[in-house]
Amino acid sequence: MGSYNVTLPQKSDAMLYAPSVDEIKPNCDVPSLKCYMLEVEMVLIEQQIDGNDSNAKCIFSFNDKCSKPNGSCPPCEATALRNSTIFLDNLNNILSKIMSNGST
């Protein structure tokens, strides 16, 4: 399995919902990843990044196609708000977990 590292500009005072791997309930990996992608989508919109940008298009497409969270997974807003550095660390950790578990 490959290593996944997401890098974004670090200079941001944004606070984003970012569950840590330890906070993710069983069978909630993909819904938790959707929480991250919704936060990234929000940042793209706030930064006025065009939906025609290939990277932005990928994020928007993922969110459109990702299934809705099931009732046993907590909503995104139930997790703590964290700064962008912790957000990125947690995102990298969840991506690694999903890839090592083979979650779909």
Side-chain angles (χ1 to χ4, degrees):
M1 296 284 156
S3 173
Y4 292 87
N5 270 330
V6 177
T7 56
L8 295 172
Q10 296 293 316
K11 297 209 177 217
S12 172
D13 58 358
M15 298 297 286
L16 306 160
Y17 293 109
S20 69
V21 171
D22 296 335
E23 294 172 321
I24 298 171
K25 294 172 77 174
N27 300 315
C28 292
D29 290 346
V30 173
S32 295
L33 179 58
K34 181 165 176 124
C35 289
Y36 278 96
M37 295 300 103
L38 288 170
E39 291 293 272
V40 171
E41 185 175 303
M42 180 198 68
V43 170
L44 293 173
I45 292 168
E46 287 179 356
Q47 295 296 316
Q48 299 178 347
I49 295 176
D50 191 307
N52 291 321
D53 174 90
S54 62
N55 292 325
K57 193 179 287 188
C58 178
I59 299 297
F60 293 127
S61 176
F62 176 88
N63 286 338
D64 288 343
K65 292 178 182 172
C66 189
S67 61
K68 303 284 185 228
N70 64 40
S72 65
C73 298
C76 302
E77 296 81 10
T79 62
L81 285 168
R82 296 182 169 103
N83 68 36
S84 61
T85 301
I86 294 172
F87 177 87
L88 290 174
D89 287 345
N90 286 352
L91 176 56
N92 283 322
N93 290 337
I94 191 174
L95 289 171
S96 294
K97 178 183 179 197
I98 288 172
M99 294 311 297
S100 69
N101 290 343
S103 296
T104 57

